[in-house]
PDB file of all heavy atoms in Angstrom:
ATOM      1  N   PHE V 800     325.080  13.316  17.560  1.00 98.00           N
ATOM      2  CA  PHE V 800     324.557  14.264  18.544  1.00 98.00           C
ATOM      3  C   PHE V 800     323.204  13.774  19.004  1.00 98.00           C
ATOM      4  O   PHE V 800     322.314  13.499  18.182  1.00 98.00           O
ATOM      5  CB  PHE V 800     324.452  15.645  17.933  1.00 98.00           C
ATOM      6  CG  PHE V 800     325.791  16.233  17.556  1.00 98.00           C
ATOM      7  CD1 PHE V 800     326.333  16.037  16.304  1.00 98.00           C
ATOM      8  CD2 PHE V 800     326.530  16.939  18.527  1.00 98.00           C
ATOM      9  CE1 PHE V 800     327.579  16.554  15.984  1.00 98.00           C
ATOM     10  CE2 PHE V 800     327.773  17.435  18.194  1.00 98.00           C
ATOM     11  CZ  PHE V 800     328.306  17.271  16.919  1.00 98.00           C
ATOM     12  N   LEU V 801     323.097  13.600  20.319  1.00 98.00           N
ATOM     13  CA  LEU V 801     321.786  13.301  20.903  1.00 98.00           C
ATOM     14  C   LEU V 801     321.146  14.633  21.264  1.00 98.00           C
ATOM     15  O   LEU V 801     321.570  15.284  22.256  1.00 98.00           O
ATOM     16  CB  LEU V 801     321.921  12.365  22.115  1.00 98.00           C
ATOM     17  CG  LEU V 801     322.595  10.991  21.791  1.00 98.00           C
ATOM     18  CD1 LEU V 801     322.824  10.204  23.041  1.00 98.00           C
ATOM     19  CD2 LEU V 801     321.687  10.224  20.807  1.00 98.00           C
ATOM     20  N   CYS V 802     320.207  15.062  20.473  1.00 98.00           N
ATOM     21  CA  CYS V 802     319.687  16.418  20.586  1.00 98.00           C
ATOM     22  C   CYS V 802     318.439  16.408  21.494  1.00 98.00           C
ATOM     23  O   CYS V 802     317.420  15.848  21.152  1.00 98.00           O
ATOM     24  CB  CYS V 802     319.329  16.974  19.198  1.00 98.00           C
ATOM     25  SG  CYS V 802     318.674  18.601  19.291  1.00 98.00           S
ATOM     26  N   CYS V 803     318.593  17.064  22.640  1.00 98.00           N
ATOM     27  CA  CYS V 803     317.461  17.188  23.605  1.00 98.00           C
ATOM     28  C   CYS V 803     316.894  18.571  23.517  1.00 98.00           C
ATOM     29  O   CYS V 803     317.597  19.557  23.255  1.00 98.00           O
ATOM     30  CB  CYS V 803     317.979  16.926  25.013  1.00 98.00           C
ATOM     31  SG  CYS V 803     318.651  15.272  25.209  1.00 98.00           S
ATOM     32  N   PHE V 804     315.595  18.632  23.764  1.00 98.00           N
ATOM     33  CA  PHE V 804     314.937  19.929  23.612  1.00 98.00           C
ATOM     34  C   PHE V 804     315.033  20.757  24.861  1.00 98.00           C
ATOM     35  O   PHE V 804     314.851  21.972  24.817  1.00 98.00           O
ATOM     36  CB  PHE V 804     313.445  19.670  23.272  1.00 98.00           C
ATOM     37  CG  PHE V 804     312.811  20.711  22.430  1.00 98.00           C
ATOM     38  CD1 PHE V 804     313.571  21.491  21.516  1.00 98.00           C
ATOM     39  CD2 PHE V 804     311.473  20.978  22.501  1.00 98.00           C
ATOM     40  CE1 PHE V 804     313.004  22.482  20.760  1.00 98.00           C
ATOM     41  CE2 PHE V 804     310.870  21.958  21.685  1.00 98.00           C
ATOM     42  CZ  PHE V 804     311.638  22.706  20.832  1.00 98.00           C
ATOM     43  N   ASN V 805     315.358  20.110  25.996  1.00 98.00           N
ATOM     44  CA  ASN V 805     315.545  20.871  27.239  1.00 98.00           C
ATOM     45  C   ASN V 805     316.564  20.143  28.124  1.00 98.00           C
ATOM     46  O   ASN V 805     316.925  18.989  27.851  1.00 98.00           O
ATOM     47  CB  ASN V 805     314.192  21.037  27.948  1.00 98.00           C
ATOM     48  CG  ASN V 805     313.526  19.705  28.198  1.00 98.00           C
ATOM     49  OD1 ASN V 805     314.128  18.824  28.794  1.00 98.00           O
ATOM     50  ND2 ASN V 805     312.302  19.582  27.743  1.00 98.00           N
ATOM     51  N   ASN V 806     316.968  20.815  29.178  1.00 98.00           N
ATOM     52  CA  ASN V 806     318.025  20.265  30.047  1.00 98.00           C
ATOM     53  C   ASN V 806     317.556  19.017  30.848  1.00 98.00           C
ATOM     54  O   ASN V 806     318.378  18.147  31.142  1.00 98.00           O
ATOM     55  CB  ASN V 806     318.526  21.339  31.022  1.00 98.00           C
ATOM     56  CG  ASN V 806     319.307  22.398  30.289  1.00 98.00           C
ATOM     57  OD1 ASN V 806     319.966  22.087  29.291  1.00 98.00           O
ATOM     58  ND2 ASN V 806     319.242  23.627  30.756  1.00 98.00           N
ATOM     59  N   THR V 807     316.260  18.957  31.144  1.00 98.00           N
ATOM     60  CA  THR V 807     315.759  17.781  31.873  1.00 98.00           C
ATOM     61  C   THR V 807     315.943  16.526  31.052  1.00 98.00           C
ATOM     62  O   THR V 807     316.416  15.475  31.526  1.00 98.00           O
ATOM     63  CB  THR V 807     314.283  17.951  32.204  1.00 98.00           C
ATOM     64  OG1 THR V 807     314.087  19.265  32.758  1.00 98.00           O
ATOM     65  CG2 THR V 807     313.741  16.919  33.175  1.00 98.00           C
ATOM     66  N   ASP V 808     315.647  16.650  29.767  1.00 98.00           N
ATOM     67  CA  ASP V 808     315.795  15.491  28.836  1.00 98.00           C
ATOM     68  C   ASP V 808     317.304  15.149  28.713  1.00 98.00           C
ATOM     69  O   ASP V 808     317.652  13.981  28.595  1.00 98.00           O
ATOM     70  CB  ASP V 808     315.194  15.792  27.474  1.00 98.00           C
ATOM     71  CG  ASP V 808     313.635  15.788  27.536  1.00 98.00           C
ATOM     72  OD1 ASP V 808     313.102  15.440  28.597  1.00 98.00           O
ATOM     73  OD2 ASP V 808     313.004  16.156  26.535  1.00 98.00           O
ATOM     74  N   ALA V 809     318.106  16.169  28.653  1.00 98.00           N
ATOM     75  CA  ALA V 809     319.551  15.935  28.521  1.00 98.00           C
ATOM     76  C   ALA V 809     320.091  15.173  29.710  1.00 98.00           C
ATOM     77  O   ALA V 809     320.924  14.259  29.583  1.00 98.00           O
ATOM     78  CB  ALA V 809     320.309  17.251  28.349  1.00 98.00           C
ATOM     79  N   LEU V 810     319.571  15.506  30.898  1.00 98.00           N
ATOM     80  CA  LEU V 810     319.965  14.807  32.130  1.00 98.00           C
ATOM     81  C   LEU V 810     319.557  13.323  32.096  1.00 98.00           C
ATOM     82  O   LEU V 810     320.320  12.466  32.525  1.00 98.00           O
ATOM     83  CB  LEU V 810     319.323  15.487  33.327  1.00 98.00           C
ATOM     84  CG  LEU V 810     319.941  15.259  34.688  1.00 98.00           C
ATOM     85  CD1 LEU V 810     321.373  15.809  34.689  1.00 98.00           C
ATOM     86  CD2 LEU V 810     319.139  15.949  35.784  1.00 98.00           C
ATOM     87  N   ILE V 811     318.412  13.059  31.538  1.00 98.00           N
ATOM     88  CA  ILE V 811     317.925  11.682  31.446  1.00 98.00           C
ATOM     89  C   ILE V 811     318.872  10.870  30.543  1.00 98.00           C
ATOM     90  O   ILE V 811     319.201   9.728  30.861  1.00 98.00           O
ATOM     91  CB  ILE V 811     316.459  11.625  30.906  1.00 98.00           C
ATOM     92  CG1 ILE V 811     315.519  12.199  31.945  1.00 98.00           C
ATOM     93  CG2 ILE V 811     316.058  10.213  30.539  1.00 98.00           C
ATOM     94  CD1 ILE V 811     314.094  12.454  31.477  1.00 98.00           C
ATOM     95  N   ILE V 812     319.310  11.457  29.443  1.00 97.00           N
ATOM     96  CA  ILE V 812     320.239  10.756  28.534  1.00 97.00           C
ATOM     97  C   ILE V 812     321.579  10.543  29.253  1.00 97.00           C
ATOM     98  O   ILE V 812     322.164   9.490  29.196  1.00 97.00           O
ATOM     99  CB  ILE V 812     320.468  11.595  27.254  1.00 97.00           C
ATOM    100  CG1 ILE V 812     319.175  11.855  26.520  1.00 97.00           C
ATOM    101  CG2 ILE V 812     321.448  10.865  26.333  1.00 97.00           C
ATOM    102  CD1 ILE V 812     318.701  10.863  25.529  1.00 97.00           C
ATOM    103  N   GLN V 813     322.028  11.626  29.969  1.00 97.00           N
ATOM    104  CA  GLN V 813     323.307  11.485  30.659  1.00 97.00           C
ATOM    105  C   GLN V 813     323.258  10.364  31.668  1.00 97.00           C
ATOM    106  O   GLN V 813     324.200   9.607  31.840  1.00 97.00           O
ATOM    107  CB  GLN V 813     323.652  12.823  31.323  1.00 97.00           C
ATOM    108  CG  GLN V 813     325.053  12.875  31.915  1.00 97.00           C
ATOM    109  CD  GLN V 813     326.145  12.614  30.876  1.00 97.00           C
ATOM    110  OE1 GLN V 813     326.184  13.332  29.861  1.00 97.00           O
ATOM    111  NE2 GLN V 813     326.986  11.599  31.101  1.00 97.00           N
ATOM    112  N   GLN V 814     322.136  10.255  32.401  1.00 96.00           N
ATOM    113  CA  GLN V 814     321.954   9.191  33.390  1.00 96.00           C
ATOM    114  C   GLN V 814     322.037   7.798  32.721  1.00 96.00           C
ATOM    115  O   GLN V 814     322.618   6.866  33.258  1.00 96.00           O
ATOM    116  CB  GLN V 814     320.673   9.346  34.164  1.00 96.00           C
ATOM    117  CG  GLN V 814     320.844  10.365  35.267  1.00 96.00           C
ATOM    118  CD  GLN V 814     319.524  10.850  35.821  1.00 96.00           C
ATOM    119  OE1 GLN V 814     318.436  10.530  35.308  1.00 96.00           O
ATOM    120  NE2 GLN V 814     319.581  11.654  36.894  1.00 96.00           N
ATOM    121  N   ALA V 815     321.440   7.686  31.540  1.00 95.00           N
ATOM    122  CA  ALA V 815     321.473   6.398  30.841  1.00 95.00           C
ATOM    123  C   ALA V 815     322.910   6.053  30.448  1.00 95.00           C
ATOM    124  O   ALA V 815     323.356   4.899  30.536  1.00 95.00           O
ATOM    125  CB  ALA V 815     320.625   6.442  29.560  1.00 95.00           C
ATOM    126  N   ILE V 816     323.705   7.073  30.063  1.00 93.00           N
ATOM    127  CA  ILE V 816     325.093   6.831  29.677  1.00 93.00           C
ATOM    128  C   ILE V 816     325.897   6.472  30.940  1.00 93.00           C
ATOM    129  O   ILE V 816     326.673   5.518  30.905  1.00 93.00           O
ATOM    130  CB  ILE V 816     325.661   8.091  28.990  1.00 93.00           C
ATOM    131  CG1 ILE V 816     324.942   8.321  27.668  1.00 93.00           C
ATOM    132  CG2 ILE V 816     327.180   7.971  28.822  1.00 93.00           C
ATOM    133  CD1 ILE V 816     325.416   9.573  26.887  1.00 93.00           C
ATOM    134  N   ASP V 817     325.667   7.171  32.053  1.00 92.00           N
ATOM    135  CA  ASP V 817     326.409   6.917  33.295  1.00 92.00           C
ATOM    136  C   ASP V 817     326.109   5.499  33.788  1.00 92.00           C
ATOM    137  O   ASP V 817     327.042   4.800  34.197  1.00 92.00           O
ATOM    138  CB  ASP V 817     326.028   7.913  34.362  1.00 92.00           C
ATOM    139  CG  ASP V 817     326.536   9.315  34.016  1.00 92.00           C
ATOM    140  OD1 ASP V 817     327.364   9.436  33.069  1.00 92.00           O
ATOM    141  OD2 ASP V 817     326.084  10.287  34.621  1.00 92.00           O
ATOM    142  N   THR V 818     324.867   5.101  33.745  1.00 88.00           N
ATOM    143  CA  THR V 818     324.499   3.756  34.211  1.00 88.00           C
ATOM    144  C   THR V 818     325.220   2.687  33.398  1.00 88.00           C
ATOM    145  O   THR V 818     325.767   1.729  33.936  1.00 88.00           O
ATOM    146  CB  THR V 818     322.975   3.526  34.049  1.00 88.00           C
ATOM    147  OG1 THR V 818     322.300   4.639  34.592  1.00 88.00           O
ATOM    148  CG2 THR V 818     322.500   2.273  34.741  1.00 88.00           C
ATOM    149  N   ARG V 819     325.273   2.896  32.097  1.00 77.00           N
ATOM    150  CA  ARG V 819     325.893   1.947  31.201  1.00 77.00           C
ATOM    151  C   ARG V 819     327.430   1.894  31.459  1.00 77.00           C
ATOM    152  O   ARG V 819     328.019   0.847  31.486  1.00 77.00           O
ATOM    153  CB  ARG V 819     325.616   2.367  29.768  1.00 77.00           C
ATOM    154  CG  ARG V 819     326.310   1.588  28.745  1.00 77.00           C
ATOM    155  CD  ARG V 819     325.405   0.632  28.063  1.00 77.00           C
ATOM    156  NE  ARG V 819     326.134  -0.099  27.054  1.00 77.00           N
ATOM    157  CZ  ARG V 819     325.570  -0.952  26.242  1.00 77.00           C
ATOM    158  NH1 ARG V 819     324.302  -1.212  26.315  1.00 77.00           N
ATOM    159  NH2 ARG V 819     326.296  -1.573  25.303  1.00 77.00           N
ATOM    160  N   GLU V 820     327.993   3.075  31.698  1.00 70.00           N
ATOM    161  CA  GLU V 820     329.442   3.106  31.954  1.00 70.00           C
ATOM    162  C   GLU V 820     329.785   2.393  33.272  1.00 70.00           C
ATOM    163  O   GLU V 820     330.754   1.632  33.340  1.00 70.00           O
ATOM    164  CB  GLU V 820     329.958   4.543  32.030  1.00 70.00           C
ATOM    165  CG  GLU V 820     330.181   5.109  30.620  1.00 70.00           C
ATOM    166  CD  GLU V 820     330.920   6.421  30.638  1.00 70.00           C
ATOM    167  OE1 GLU V 820     330.629   7.236  31.533  1.00 70.00           O
ATOM    168  OE2 GLU V 820     331.722   6.620  29.747  1.00 70.00           O
ATOM    169  N   ASP V 821     328.949   2.576  34.284  1.00 67.00           N
ATOM    170  CA  ASP V 821     329.133   1.880  35.600  1.00 67.00           C
ATOM    171  C   ASP V 821     329.108   0.391  35.400  1.00 67.00           C
ATOM    172  O   ASP V 821     329.955  -0.374  35.874  1.00 67.00           O
ATOM    173  CB  ASP V 821     328.036   2.267  36.564  1.00 67.00           C
ATOM    174  CG  ASP V 821     328.205   3.660  37.104  1.00 67.00           C
ATOM    175  OD1 ASP V 821     329.271   4.265  36.821  1.00 67.00           O
ATOM    176  OD2 ASP V 821     327.241   4.178  37.732  1.00 67.00           O
ATOM    177  N   TRP V 822     328.134  -0.037  34.567  1.00 65.00           N
ATOM    178  CA  TRP V 822     327.924  -1.466  34.299  1.00 65.00           C
ATOM    179  C   TRP V 822     329.148  -2.043  33.586  1.00 65.00           C
ATOM    180  O   TRP V 822     329.636  -3.106  33.931  1.00 65.00           O
ATOM    181  CB  TRP V 822     326.653  -1.605  33.502  1.00 65.00           C
ATOM    182  CG  TRP V 822     326.349  -3.009  33.108  1.00 65.00           C
ATOM    183  CD1 TRP V 822     325.772  -3.974  33.905  1.00 65.00           C
ATOM    184  CD2 TRP V 822     326.547  -3.617  31.835  1.00 65.00           C
ATOM    185  NE1 TRP V 822     325.633  -5.107  33.176  1.00 65.00           N
ATOM    186  CE2 TRP V 822     326.105  -4.956  31.925  1.00 65.00           C
ATOM    187  CE3 TRP V 822     327.107  -3.182  30.641  1.00 65.00           C
ATOM    188  CZ2 TRP V 822     326.182  -5.835  30.853  1.00 65.00           C
ATOM    189  CZ3 TRP V 822     327.176  -4.056  29.570  1.00 65.00           C
ATOM    190  CH2 TRP V 822     326.719  -5.363  29.669  1.00 65.00           C
TER     191      TRP V 822
END
Side-chain angles (χ1 to χ4, degrees):
F800 295 91
L801 298 175
C802 180
C803 298
F804 210 28
N805 56 54
N806 289 329
T807 312
D808 288 354
L810 200 63
I811 292 171
I812 303 271
Q813 189 58 56
Q814 278 164 353
I816 294 178
D817 293 346
T818 311
R819 174 105 179 185
E820 279 191 322
D821 287 351
W822 178 78

